[in-house]
Amino acid sequence: MQKIKTVDIHEIFKDKDFISAVKCVIENKNASTAFLQRKFHWGYAKAADYIDYMINFGYVSNGVSNRKVLATIDVFKTDAKENFYLDV
């Protein structure tokens, strides 16, 4: 069984790269590690960690393939509060 990484929601929401990743996943409805790697030129570990966090927060479904984006940008904006604008 796949172990999901956890992180403090208050800490990860201060990470502008994570904010950018979630917005991108929601807007493009594509929740894959490879997508984040291509889009942001990140290594596998960073992209995979961000996907794991999104799964943990309920933004995307769990699974290896065909993950579904479960959150809307409005839900994420509410969760992220003022940090929603960190990537601007």
Side-chain angles (χ1 to χ4, degrees):
M1 182 170 181
Q2 178 184 1
K3 181 176 183 222
I4 303 223
K5 290 190 177 209
T6 59
V7 69
D8 183 320
I9 195 167
H10 301 292
E11 289 303 311
I12 194 65
F13 276 28
K14 294 176 186 174
D15 181 339
K16 70 179 181 100
D17 285 346
F18 179 72
I19 300 295
S20 296
V22 176
K23 286 180 181 178
C24 187
V25 162
I26 291 171
E27 290 168 1
N28 291 281
K29 297 186 184 343
N30 186 341
S32 75
T33 302
F35 172 69
L36 291 180
Q37 286 180 272
R38 284 190 308 273
K39 181 75 176 169
F40 296 104
H41 307 285
W42 293 333
Y44 175 81
K46 181 174 184 171
D49 284 350
Y50 284 168
I51 292 291
D52 284 344
Y53 302 148
M54 288 183 227
I55 291 168
N56 194 40
F57 298 144
Y59 296 148
V60 300
S61 65
N62 197 356
V64 177
S65 63
N66 296 324
R67 280 188 204 96
K68 305 288 185 230
V69 176
L70 305 173
T72 64
I73 201 70
D74 290 332
V75 166
F76 179 60
K77 188 174 185 179
T78 299
D79 288 351
K81 298 180 177 52
E82 69 276 0
N83 297 325
F84 183 81
Y85 302 100
L86 281 178
D87 68 328
V88 177

